[in-house]
């Protein structure tokens, strides 16, 4: 299914749509569901979930404080979901991944090559906190400016992090990579980095 931009999606909008296996939704849909009434309740066969900013001239954030974008993957991956795993793919145009965007999404597999693409400017606090299936090496784009506190807390399957040439990253906040015990090797920080806050890499025994 494809959801067009500029509309609102009501509570329980797709409840018990058991034939729905994939969904593409733009980040600039006006509103999405309700925190206590998930729009995908009972959609037990969704396995592919795409968030796209395609067509945006100025880029958009994934998650704003008054909306529920940040909860959609959690509903898909944890609410009566038979398959147990959902693949989330990001299109182009994402400039920010907001606070707690994927907090606790331990049933989500990320296609992170697209997620951390050029144009991304910030990763908010707890954005991927507890995302146990966020794995492999991650290279942050040159456009990234900041990584929030607890952003990758307990992401134990991340094996390596690196920064693009000409990186402008300015700060990595406290405990951003706390307990990422899969990290291994040497991390080369760019010259632009000014603030490496307390306990950023605490319990990362392999670096």
């Amino acid at each position: 299914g494809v959801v067009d931009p500029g509309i609102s999606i009501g509570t329980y909008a797709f409840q018990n749509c058991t034939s729905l296996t994939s969904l593409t939704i733009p980040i600039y849909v006006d509103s999405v569901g309700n925190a206590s009434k998930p729009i995908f309740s009972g959609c037990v066969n969704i396995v592919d979930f795409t968030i796209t900013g395609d067509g945006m001239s100025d880029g958009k954030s994934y998650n704003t404080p008054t909306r529920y974008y940040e909860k959609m993957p959690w509903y898909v991956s944890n609410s009566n979901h038979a398959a147990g795993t959902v693949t989330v793919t990001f299109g182009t145009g994402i400039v920010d991944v907001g606070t707690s965007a994927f907090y606790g999404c331990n049933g989500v597999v990320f296609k992170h090559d697209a997620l951390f693409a050029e144009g991304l400017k910030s990763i908010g606090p707890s954005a991927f906190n507890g995302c146990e299936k966020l794995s492999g090496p991650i290279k942050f784009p040159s456009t990234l400016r900041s990584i929030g506190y607890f952003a990758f807390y307990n992401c134990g399957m991340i094996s390596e992090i690196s920064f693009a040439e000409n990186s402008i990253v300015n700060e990595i906040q406290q405990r951003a990579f706390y307990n990422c015990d899969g990290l291994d090797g040497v991390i080369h920080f760019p010259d632009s980095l000014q603030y490496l806050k307390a306990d950023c890499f605490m319990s990362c025994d392999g670096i």
Side-chain angles (χ1 to χ4, degrees), residues 45-146:
N45 292 312
I46 292 179
V47 293
D48 289 301
F49 186 92
T50 299
I51 302 158
T52 178
D54 293 345
M56 299 303 297
S57 60
D58 57 351
K60 290 292 181 180
S61 301
Y62 177 72
N63 164 18
T64 60
T66 58
R67 298 179 183 175
Y68 293 99
Y69 299 138
E70 71 273 19
K71 295 300 182 184
M72 288 195 295
W74 188 89
Y75 290 143
V76 173
S77 63
N78 293 289
S79 180
N80 302 317
H81 190 262
T85 298
V86 176
T87 298
V88 172
T89 305
F90 279 72
T92 59
I94 308 297
V95 295
D96 301 290
V97 181
T99 301
S100 300
F102 293 97
Y103 185 99
C105 288
N106 54 17
V108 171
V109 173
F110 296 91
K111 293 184 178 178
H112 53 69
D113 288 346
L115 172 56
F116 301 112
E118 288 295 320
L120 181 67
K121 294 181 180 179
S122 69
I123 299 171
S126 287
F128 297 95
N129 187 329
C131 291
E132 298 172 359
K133 294 183 180 180
L134 179 58
S135 63
I138 290 176
K139 184 174 183 177
F140 296 111
S142 64
T143 52
L144 185 69
R145 296 179 181 274
S146 65

Side-chain angles (χ1 to χ4, degrees), residues 129-169:
N129 187 329
C131 291
E132 298 172 359
K133 294 183 180 180
L134 179 58
S135 63
I138 290 176
K139 184 174 183 177
F140 296 111
S142 64
T143 52
L144 185 69
R145 296 179 181 274
S146 65
I147 300 175
Y149 56 86
F150 294 97
F152 296 94
Y153 185 93
N154 277 336
C155 293
M157 292 184 69
I158 299 175
S159 59
E160 178 185 343
I161 63 170
S162 61
F163 298 85
E165 279 189 63
N166 303 317
S167 173
I168 59 172
V169 68

Side-chain angles (χ1 to χ4, degrees), residues 24-45:
T24 298
I25 187 167
I27 56 174
Y28 45 99
V29 164
D30 285 346
S31 62
V32 181
N34 179 288
S36 62
K37 298 175 181 179
I39 61 177
F40 299 114
S41 176
C43 296
V44 297
N45 292 312

